[in-house]
């Protein structure tokens, strides 16, 4: 399975609240399906379960900026689809 370079913290560091979501007090998880190619780059993203208020778009943009250690099968880099949860919690 592919691993994000910098660990799970690198995913959360790319995420931020939108003004609308913060004002509405929205919290929860967004689940995104991410296709990672043989080079560790994100080819595509799809929101499986979103929260709205612009947070879904923030997740898509943030995930596209990530770099992964590619998934391997029998020692060869392969394309992999993974579901990634992103947590939004107000302080």
């Amino acid at each position: 399975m592919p691993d994000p370079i910098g660990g799970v913290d690198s995913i959360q560091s790319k995420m931020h609240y939108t003004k609308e979501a913060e004002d509405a007090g929205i919290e929860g998880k967004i689940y995104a399906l991410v296709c990672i190619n043989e080079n560790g780059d994100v080819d595509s993203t799809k929101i499986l379960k979103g929260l709205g208020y612009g947070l879904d778009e923030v997740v898509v943009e943030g995930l596209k900026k990530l770099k992964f250690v590619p998934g391997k099968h029998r020692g060869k880099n392969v394309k992999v689809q993974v579901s990634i949860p992103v947590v939004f919690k107000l302080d």
Side-chain angles (χ1 to χ4, degrees), residues 25-78:
I26 301 299
E27 293 185 337
K29 284 185 184 178
I30 294 177
Y31 292 91
L33 185 67
V34 180
C35 183
I36 300 158
N37 67 21
E38 299 90 344
N39 300 322
D41 298 318
V42 174
D43 276 347
S44 64
T45 59
K46 178 182 175 185
I47 299 297
L48 299 175
K49 178 182 174 268
L51 292 174
Y53 294 90
L55 294 176
D56 300 349
E57 290 80 7
V58 169
V59 169
V60 169
E61 289 172 22
L63 290 173
K64 286 183 178 179
K65 294 176 186 174
L66 284 176
K67 181 79 171 163
F68 288 80
V69 175
K72 293 187 183 281
H73 181 69
R74 297 184 182 174
K76 190 175 183 183
N77 291 355
V78 293

